[in-house]
Amino acid sequence: MKILLINGSPKGDRSNTLKLSEAFLEGILEIDKDAEIRQMNLSEKKIAPCRGCFACWNKTPGKCVMTDDMQEGIEGELWADLMIWSFPLYYFSVPGLLKNFIDRQLPMNLPFMEEQEGQTGSGGHPSRYDMSGKRHLLISTCGFYTAKNNYDSVTKLFDHVCGAGQYESIFCGQGELFRVPELKARTDEYLECVRQAGREYAQKQAISEDAKEKLRELLYPRDVFEKMADASWGVEKKSGEKEDPVLTFTRQMAALYNKDSFDQKERVLEIRYTDLGKAWQIVLGKDGSTVLDAGSREATTVIETPWDVWQSIARGEIRGDAALAKGMYRVTGDFSLMIHWDDFFGAANAAAGKEKSGKNSDGRTAEKEKQPQMIFMLAAWITFWVAVPVGGNVGAIVTLAICACLPLAAWNRKLTVYDRLSFGIVALLSVLALQKGCVNIALLAGYLGFGLMWLLSCLTKEPLCAAYVKYNYHGDDALENPIFMKANRILAAGWGILYILIAIWSAFLLPAGHTALMQILNNTATVLMGIFTGWFEKWYPQRVAAGK
């Protein structure tokens, strides 16, 4: 495929729209690695306005009397199989230099009037060249919150130029956001949708309805976008005077607040830029966010950070959790805001049109339904420790049956490696318990095996507890969080050591016939460790965040 990319933005390579066009081409190249691409930046070309002299029709047929870079454009159109028209929306139409380019295509037509099949308007002129089979794609961004109802003039123009229904289009609102590094996470999601459209086009010379639907999704809801857009001007609303750029940045961050995350608890976040000696508060409430001067309200969470560190985090240059673990900034007060930061301020949650997972009759989302749950892993071990001492061989058989049924019970959930290990190990221990005189050996081996599984998991990328609780902290992304990982390694080590100790003291108590005492000790130790776990998982992150 031969592709001519006509970049009609006066900004040239700095064009926001060009980011979309490049993503589309990346998608094409993934499928058609032999595709040839030429790019024509109109901002770098000398293309004078058409004089309307019609010399290209009657004096020098097919050739303009002006000698400039337009000839390169005509040659490119004749060469290409696909023309991509890339441009921003200027005053509800195309930029002036692109309109010049379109006007200067006159030499490509013959002067005769002709009725054309499917034509737009009252007539047309036949092409001087065979343009059959050539395809067109329009890619454009605009500064409104949506592209809908803002491209009427553009589509009318290209209905005349290309023929109604003879071209594809990708029109995207909120185009200025593609130049904002702090919003890269969300804009990258959209660019991936454009990339997918490119893949489809390379395969079928068309964009599917599913892809078009995703491309029509808003980057952000209208109220969020318009707040960010208003703040981006850096001008106070009341006075019209220029405001502190740090305050502007803080307002834009406040605009990203997702009020759907409100949990009946109003929060007051105070951000202190320690190197600048400046601070503001963001009140997060039911109806949205408000920026106030520092000290206006009692802060529930305080972030103390150098300005450049917070900017780097916002731009995605460094991870916020990694910077916190290194002591690059500190947090005091209610730490739950930091734990669920992406729910309150994250692009993925604020983005409109995001696909919601369907709900079942019990109200659970399909996505959450697929997440693993530790209860299945624990069910195998608890059944073994309860049923075998009480029921002997019958208890062992019951445990084997439970181990066989648990994978079926969890058919709609993802099973972790620890689930599978547990089902297998407990089944083997149950078989051992069926052997004459081996019940106590099987029980002790169970305590030891359970402890070793916890302890050895600390050496893996995903400690046992992290394999389950990571879904409360954005899934696999939590595994990149050093605070989360260290806390989970400590807890996994704690549970592992506990059960190895249980195996040791049980080895003395069981043969001595102190079964009841053993069970009391084991259960008490487990309950206390559970209480410690609940406390530690809240205390440890707060301690690190406070720089202690």
Side-chain angles (χ1 to χ4, degrees), residues 102-146:
I102 293 171
D103 291 346
R104 290 287 303 280
Q105 292 179 112
L106 196 63
M108 300 180 69
N109 293 323
L110 294 168
F112 315 114
M113 293 293 181
E114 179 181 86
E115 287 288 329
Q116 298 171 342
E117 185 178 350
Q119 72 180 26
T120 297
S122 57
H125 302 286
S127 175
R128 187 179 296 273
Y129 307 100
D130 180 9
M131 304 295 283
S132 60
K134 292 187 181 290
R135 301 184 299 278
H136 298 266
L137 168 68
L138 278 55
I139 300 181
S140 180
T141 60
C142 68
F144 298 104
Y145 83 92
T146 178

Side-chain angles (χ1 to χ4, degrees), residues 216-435:
R216 283 192 287 266
E217 290 176 1
L218 301 180
L219 289 170
Y220 288 91
R222 180 176 183 173
D223 59 335
V224 173
F225 168 71
E226 291 183 347
K227 278 186 179 180
M228 287 193 293
D230 289 347
S232 69
W233 294 107
V235 175
E236 291 184 0
K237 268 194 170 182
K238 291 183 179 179
S239 67
E241 298 295 323
K242 190 168 180 62
E243 70 178 9
D244 190 317
V246 184
L247 175 56
T248 297
F249 172 85
T250 306
R251 288 192 196 282
Q252 288 181 302
M253 187 175 75
L256 283 171
Y257 170 59
N258 175 21
K259 62 185 179 183
D260 291 338
S261 66
F262 182 72
D263 55 1
Q264 308 306 314
K265 178 182 177 182
E266 186 177 76
R267 290 172 166 83
V268 180
L269 169 64
E270 183 162 303
I271 305 179
R272 300 172 183 170
Y273 303 105
T274 52
D275 54 334
L276 302 179
K278 299 175 181 178
W280 285 275
Q281 292 182 337
I282 303 176
V283 181
L284 309 176
K286 178 181 179 181
D287 299 318
S289 62
T290 307
V291 177
L292 303 174
D293 291 333
S296 298
R297 299 274 298 273
E298 183 179 352
T300 55
T301 303
V302 176
I303 297 174
E304 296 175 274
T305 176
W307 164 239
D308 60 337
V309 169
W310 200 247
Q311 271 195 313
S312 295
I313 293 170
R315 290 171 178 166
E317 296 167 356
I318 55 175
R319 287 181 61 99
D321 45 37
L324 186 59
K326 292 177 181 177
M328 297 173 71
Y329 69 99
R330 63 192 298 265
V331 180
T332 54
D334 179 11
F335 195 69
S336 66
L337 175 63
M338 305 305 296
I339 292 175
H340 300 289
W341 184 270
D342 285 344
D343 295 328
F344 288 101
F345 293 102
N349 295 291
K354 294 288 286 181
E355 288 187 15
K356 303 288 191 299
S357 52
K359 289 191 175 181
N360 301 318
S361 57
D362 61 359
R364 294 174 300 171
T365 63
E367 182 182 355
K368 184 169 281 189
E369 189 178 18
K370 295 176 183 176
Q371 296 171 4
Q373 285 194 348
M374 191 181 284
I375 187 64
F376 291 98
M377 182 268 288
L378 293 177
W381 290 100
I382 292 171
T383 301
F384 173 74
W385 287 324
V386 172
V388 170
V390 173
N393 286 353
V394 174
I397 292 170
V398 168
T399 304
L400 279 170
I402 292 294
C403 287
C405 292
L406 280 172
L408 299 176
W411 67 271
N412 61 343
R413 295 185 184 277
K414 179 181 177 182
L415 292 177
T416 70
V417 64
Y418 304 110
D419 292 323
R420 295 186 176 90
L421 271 175
S422 295
F423 300 158
I425 293 171
V426 171
L428 290 173
L429 290 171
S430 299
V431 172
L432 176 61
L434 287 170
Q435 310 308 308

Side-chain angles (χ1 to χ4, degrees), residues 434-472:
L434 287 170
Q435 310 308 308
K436 187 175 181 181
C438 291
V439 169
N440 287 354
I441 295 173
L443 286 173
L444 294 174
Y447 292 133
L448 183 62
F450 190 62
L452 287 173
M453 185 172 70
W454 276 96
L455 204 56
L456 292 175
S457 76
C458 296
L459 304 177
T460 69
K461 180 183 177 183
E462 193 172 70
L464 195 153
C465 39
Y468 300 94
V469 299
K470 69 179 183 181
Y471 294 97
N472 297 328

